[in-house]
Amino acid sequence: SALNSAAWGVRPAHLRKLLERKVFPNAKFVWGSSPLNAATYYGELVTARLMLKYPEVDPNSTDVDGRTPLSIAAYDGLTLFVKALLNRGVDRSIKDKNGKTAEDRAMEAGNYMIARLIRDFGTVVQPEEIAKEDESPTERFSLQKSMTF
């Protein structure tokens, strides 16, 4: 489709016009990827962010292997993509054909901070919890000891 060509060719102005006219925003390529999947796969952040501004674009679209843009970005270590997709409200629980979520794929690739971002996105963490997690027990003890007067 014209939208696929614009997404692949990284022509933001043309892509924007097509999206405004609602020209098949979720049309699949012959091999089963949506334009958003393709933009994520090829690391085209400008294109992906532009597409995510339009509610007609499905941020949970899957390719033939059941991978979502979030899963692709998590595996490839694309933190800015992951943040953009999470802010759009993607479904973090979608599993691919191998039964793995985006968090699982991030862990598999060694992208532990991204896995944590996916897992904890939207939760409120208390400062005390962060401090406990970042310090060893001996560091906590020495900090408490040094703070007593």
Side-chain angles (χ1 to χ4, degrees):
S1 75
L3 187 68
N4 289 343
S5 297
W8 276 98
V10 192
R11 296 179 294 188
H14 186 62
L15 182 62
R16 186 177 292 111
K17 285 179 188 174
L18 292 169
L19 287 167
E20 286 170 355
R21 290 185 7 222
K22 299 178 181 24
V23 178
F24 308 111
N26 301 304
K28 302 273 184 166
F29 289 102
V30 176
W31 56 91
S33 289
S34 71
L36 183 57
N37 285 74
T40 306
Y41 182 79
Y42 286 101
E44 295 295 339
L45 184 60
V46 172
T47 302
R49 281 189 171 159
L50 175 61
M51 294 182 79
L52 288 170
K53 289 181 180 181
Y54 291 86
E56 299 82 16
V57 173
D58 180 9
N60 297 308
S61 60
T62 59
D63 63 13
V64 293
D65 295 319
R67 294 175 301 185
T68 63
L70 182 62
S71 181
I72 295 166
Y75 185 83
D76 290 345
L78 304 172
T79 307
L80 294 176
F81 280 82
V82 170
K83 287 179 180 180
L85 290 160
L86 289 170
N87 283 324
R88 171 66 191 273
V90 294
D91 183 349
R92 297 176 285 175
S93 67
I94 295 175
K95 295 182 179 182
D96 61 22
K97 286 188 176 178
N98 294 318
K100 296 191 177 189
T101 64
E103 182 183 347
D104 297 333
R105 289 293 180 193
M107 293 294 289
E108 181 179 277
N111 298 321
Y112 305 113
M113 293 305 290
I114 289 177
R116 185 174 178 183
L117 174 64
I118 293 168
R119 183 192 70 214
D120 296 342
F121 185 80
T123 60
V124 177
V125 180
Q126 299 302 320
E128 308 86 51
E129 293 175 34
I130 295 170
K132 286 178 188 173
E133 204 170 279
D134 291 340
E135 302 165 359
S136 69
T138 55
E139 288 173 333
R140 266 198 306 276
F141 177 74
S142 63
L143 278 174
Q144 289 172 350
K145 189 174 181 182
S146 67
M147 293 176 73
T148 56
F149 299 96

